[in-house]
Amino acid sequence: EAQVTQNPRYLITVTGKKLTVTCSQNMNHEYMSWYRQDPGLGLRQIYYSMNVEVTDKGDVPEGYKVSRKEKRNFPLILESPSPNQTSLYFCASSFLDKQETQYFGPGTRLLVL
Amino acid sequence: GENVEQHPSTLSVQEGDSAVIKCTYSDSASNYFPWYKQELGKGPQLIIDIRSNVGEKKDQRIAVTLNKTAKHFSLHITETQPEDSAVYFCAAGNTGNQFYFGTGTSLTVIP
C-alpha cells in the first residue's frame, strides 16, 4: 500500500531534550516536506527536499533540522525543543513535477513542556 | 514569498445547497493551485487542483475556478452532503519551490 508513515504519532517531551520525528514513504517520490499545523494558521512549511542531499528552508525553519540521506526517509530533528514548538506535524511527499498531489502522513502531535 | 489568504474561516450550509470557498494569492509565479480536504484526526488529502494555464476544472460535484489576472481561485461544492463536512485548505506553489497553504475553512453540512 502506497503510504507516508510518521513516528511517533504522539510525543510529550520537556524543553531542551532533543527529539527526532521519522518520516518514510514507499512511492519513490523525489519531493518531501514537513509542515506544522496550528489553529488559525493553517499548515506552514518547515523544510522541503527535492531529492537526496537537497534540502531547503520553508516558511518557519527556525529550531528545526532535517536530513535527506535516502530517498524514502526525511526525518525532522528538534535539537532543543521549546514550548512554542508544540504543534501537529505532518510529513508529505510527491513526485517533483506533481507537487500539487502531495501525500500526507497521519501526523505527529507534539507537546513540549 | 507567496501569501495565500482564504475565506471564510467557517461555513455552514444545508444539505443539498452549494458551498463556495475563496482564496487569493500574491505571487504571479505560482503555477498550481490545489485544494485539500482534512477530516478529523487525519492528514490533508488532495481533492482537486488546477494549473495556471486552465481557467476551470470539474470533478463530479466539485469544481475549481482560477482568475490569474485577479490572482484568486475558488472551490465550489454542489449538492453538499454530510460527508463533505471537513476542513478545506487551498494552496499555491511553483514547481520545485515552496508550497503555501491558506488558513483553512471549516465546512459544516447540516442534514
Side-chain angles (χ1 to χ4, degrees):
Chain A
E1 180 192 353
Q3 60 182 350
V4 178
T5 56
Q6 292 179 230
N7 282 292
R9 294 290 313 279
Y10 305 91
L11 180 59
I12 301 175
T13 190
V14 295
T15 298
K17 186 176 181 182
K18 181 180 178 179
L19 66 92
T20 299
V21 184
T22 64
C23 172
S24 184
Q25 51 92 6
N26 62 1
M27 295 168 278
N28 202 34
H29 287 161
E30 302 95 353
Y31 187 90
M32 295 188 74
S33 184
W34 277 102
Y35 299 90
R36 60 177 290 173
Q37 184 173 20
D38 302 289
L41 297 177
L43 291 111
R44 293 178 292 168
Q45 195 171 39
I46 303 171
Y47 269 95
Y48 62 100
S49 168
M50 287 190 278
N51 217 323
V52 176
E53 301 293 359
V54 179
T55 62
D56 284 291
K57 295 178 181 179
D59 252 2
V60 287
E62 295 78 20
Y64 304 94
K65 284 176 57 177
V66 292
S67 68
R68 188 91 182 274
K69 292 185 170 54
E70 304 165 285
K71 197 171 187 178
R72 63 184 295 130
N73 297 324
F74 191 45
L76 179 70
I77 303 155
L78 285 72
E79 295 267 4
S80 183
S82 63
N84 63 11
Q85 293 178 297
T86 292
S87 187
L88 177 60
Y89 292 87
F90 288 101
C91 179
S93 73
S94 73
F95 290 114
L96 190 57
D97 60 350
K98 287 287 286 181
Q99 280 169 241
E100 61 270 35
T101 312
Q102 291 192 36
Y103 292 84
F104 281 78
T108 295
R109 191 166 290 280
L110 172 65
L111 173 61
V112 183
L113 300 172
Chain B
E2 176 65 278
N3 181 40
V4 179
E5 295 190 357
Q6 183 172 346
H7 299 280
S9 56
T10 59
L11 179 60
S12 292
V13 299
Q14 290 291 137
E15 182 176 357
D17 287 350
S18 295
V20 180
I21 303 170
K22 298 183 178 182
C23 288
T24 61
Y25 64 99
S26 61
D27 189 351
S28 56
S30 290
N31 62 1
Y32 60 84
F33 307 91
W35 287 88
Y36 284 80
K37 176 183 181 182
Q38 186 178 27
E39 296 175 336
L40 201 60
K42 296 184 178 180
Q45 187 169 18
L46 178 74
I47 55 171
I48 195 168
D49 68 275
I50 193 167
R51 289 246 166 184
S52 58
N53 58 350
V54 176
E56 184 175 357
K57 186 175 178 180
K58 286 184 181 179
D59 183 3
Q60 299 182 332
R61 297 186 296 108
I62 294 172
V64 58
T65 58
L66 170 66
N67 183 326
K68 280 182 61 180
T69 304
K71 294 196 183 71
H72 64 72
F73 56 113
S74 302
L75 177 71
H76 304 252
I77 305 174
T78 58
E79 301 171 22
T80 53
Q81 301 166 3
E83 51 265 38
D84 293 330
S85 295
V87 178
Y88 291 82
F89 291 96
C90 63
N94 186 4
T95 304
N97 288 291
Q98 283 185 242
F99 199 72
Y100 297 87
F101 279 88
T103 49
T105 296
S106 179
L107 173 64
T108 302
V109 179
I110 304 165

